Amino acid sequence: MEYAKAIRRFTVRPVLPEPLRPLHDLARNLRWSWHTETRELFRSADPEGWRPVDADPVRLLGSLSAGRLAELARDEEYLGRLAAVSADLQEYLEGPRWYQDQLAAGAELPSAVAYFSPEFGVTAALPQYSGGLGILAGDHLKAASDLGVPLVGVGLLYRHGYFRQTLSREGWQQEHYPVLDPDELPLDLVREPDGSAARVVLALPGGRSLHACVWLARVGRVPLLLLDSDVEENAPGERDVTDRLYGGGSDHRLLQEMLLGIGGVRAVRTWCRLTGTPEPEVFHTNEGHAGFLGLERIRELAATGLDFDAALEVVRAGTVFTTHTPVPAGIDRFDRHLVARHFGDDAELPGVAVDRILPLGRETYPGGEPELFNMAVMGLRLAQRANGVSTLHGAVSREMFSGLWPGFDPAEVPITSITNGVHAPTWVAPEVFRLGARQVGDGPARQVLAGAPVDGAALFGGQEGGDAQAAAGTPRRWDAVGGIGDREIWDLRRDLRGQLVGEVRRRLYASWRRRGAGTAELGWIDDVLDPDVLTIGFARRVPSYKRLTLMLRDRDRLRALLLHPTHPIQIVVAGKAHPADDGGKRLVQELVRFADDPRVRHRIVFLPDYGMGMAQKLYPGCDVWLNNPLRPLEACGTSGMKAALNGCLNLSVRDGWWDEWFEPDFGWEIPTADGSAVDEDRRDELESGALYALIEDRVAPRFYDRGPEGLPDRWIEMVRSTLVNLGPKVLAGRMVREYVERLYAPAARSRRALAPQVAQGLAEWKARVRAAWPGVTVDHVESVAGGAAGGSAELGSTVSLRVRVGLGGLDPDDVEVQAVAGRVDSADAIADAQVFPLKPVGGHDLADRRLYEGPLALDRTGPYGYTVRVLPAHRLLASGAELGLVALPTEATGEGAGVILR
């Protein structure tokens, strides 16, 4: 019989008995995704229906029968737990936390921060993420909530999310796009006071409009606003704008990013109007996708009477831009004519001239393409403060974008770095948390999982991240882990490994059934993996630079490692290739086919459909986390952080976060074959050989080397050291505090300083400086070295510099004259430079020349040199490089670099 197909779908929500009404608020605040007691409350409501890997309280409540609801409403023990958890949520939402404590202590912090990202990975129940960028954004919101940071998240609601991955019988990746119904997700529609849905509208070319409603996800204390174009007011093409994450062609992606940036600002304004939430003083764009938010804010300011240049200064002062991209190919770039068509009086942002918009994204540096509009370049030009996501990535970003600041060394490009962190309450296995709680008490173990500062260190830290207990002197140091016994640690590791084995077998069975295998041919899955064998994990997206198949370089050697008679290893692999990346799909297929081999399939598996639910089992269950990207193309790589918080050791190339925090106590460094003389094939050969050797000679022997008590004493000590010494560094709470203190607070102060007249004055000053700069020159440099003896000088002496500078009509207050000094190489390039400001002396001649003098302290031995430069100077600049203007000596200037120490 063929059943009729519904012409309309809607959701019937349960009516909870009065005693159970608090369950509604608990289910619709995503804090349940990282709060153990709340999850346990829902699990006990329906133990059979609650699946930890993809748990969803909203769906659970919708599936409970009326009889079960009535039973729970009469259960006094359950109602008591419900009351306690509900009261705890209210205290969490309303009580003061770290941020409020800072304000009470007199810190000057922003009233609110808007955080824009194209994807958010908060929970598997809200699948709006594809990989690390989204998971990082979700952890940022959670940590901000734990710390009390007044953040508003802004993103898009993708009706198909990212794709679900399965495999064909031949191991080829297949994509599936399930339809997501917002009414079945932990979301609420933002409504106007009359009950109608709040709307944002964008104007499109040809008189069309793009409408979007706004959904609210509650991430603890943080509201996350998600814009949805699937509304009746839109034509079919516009309804599909928010269909898929990272889907469609250039025009589709441009509309998504316009809706995210421009529509996102309008959604924030609507939210603040409806709720009384303070307007954000700082706007943080997580990658360039949301960069158009700056243009919308310029339009808003232009409507108040500010001209474009003054509005630009106001916007820049209050904007933070984070780049996650280590290669130019990872940046969104659009044809400038496509961008031009969507802006101006006939489309979006009327009153903001298109010829002022296009230069913001133009690639004006050598090798750039002037016909393309670069979203990251616009993000940098619209933000006074920018950062990479690890120390190494900050250096890579400064090099990559140095063309925007010609004349400056990459080290001086104004892009700092804040190393990512991970939200421990989300990623630490309950068993690991309970082990720490037994050592120091449940309360102290909870208090700083979010990384609130407590005497510089704390145990796994509390979910809630407050500081009240610290004032009472509650002990909660990470080094308390040092008191946990070896047997307890090892038994925990084996238990987690055993749980992973069970999870892998369940997922592998389901995967093979989808690949067409019958039950009779899958008996071998019962013997896949062994809870007593060294387990290595590798899970991430599958672009070529992450080198999913590096482990397959020498297959015979890999088989020998997997099947070693006394020191065997087993490997669990997961990852998705982008749907349009056939090269990545071929890598997946290559790995799958190797793992299908009956000789090794009990020791290596590929699990399709990698996501948050799988990850939360995978990180704790592995003994070693493998990461072997092409250095330095891994911006951060937070999966290894999540593994480390569960006592998993890292085996990784020195890239991303591992480059700055690696110590032999935490794991192993895979040597890299750096150098332009090494081609890609040779590099893979060398690095795979180093990987095999490390596993064979160091990793596996240490795991299987047993002490007098039958325990791997040295391995356990590495686990303990990872938890004690690495744990506090990798927390998202540490990361968010750094954003607050180093970027948000300074941005708020800069924004507050720019009253309309001040902003107008700053814009006019910049225009005057840019116009005059061609006339700024370094005309003559002379020096006298103390203790000099023919081209040499003594350590500890000084060089007296005298410089004549042409100001081109500028005032001395408009510039700073500096000596830049340091060791020099054979080409006279200065390294590890120090900057020494020089002071004006005397008057100026008719040619507008001025003299500057100052001492240069010689505090290093060896070949040493200096140069002199002139930079713009203004109290409202964040750095001397901000304008990208610098005047340097010419060959005719005089001495140039001229002091050598030996």
Side-chain angles (χ1 to χ4, degrees), residues 808-859:
L810 296 176
D811 296 327
D813 289 343
D814 294 330
V815 301
E816 181 172 0
V817 181
Q818 301 172 340
V820 181
R823 290 191 177 90
V824 294
D825 60 19
S826 59
D828 287 341
I830 298 173
D832 299 323
Q834 293 177 290
V835 174
F836 300 86
L838 306 178
K839 302 296 184 184
V841 294
H844 59 89
D845 59 27
L846 294 178
D848 199 28
R849 266 58 176 173
R850 285 188 176 263
L851 289 178
Y852 287 77
E853 292 181 348
L856 179 65
L858 304 178
D859 61 353

Side-chain angles (χ1 to χ4, degrees), residues 423-454:
H423 186 246
T426 296
W427 301 108
V428 171
E431 295 83 357
V432 178
F433 173 76
R434 285 196 290 267
L435 179 65
R438 286 200 302 270
Q439 182 68 20
V440 299
D442 184 69
R446 288 177 178 280
Q447 290 157 3
V448 282
L449 258 178
V454 185

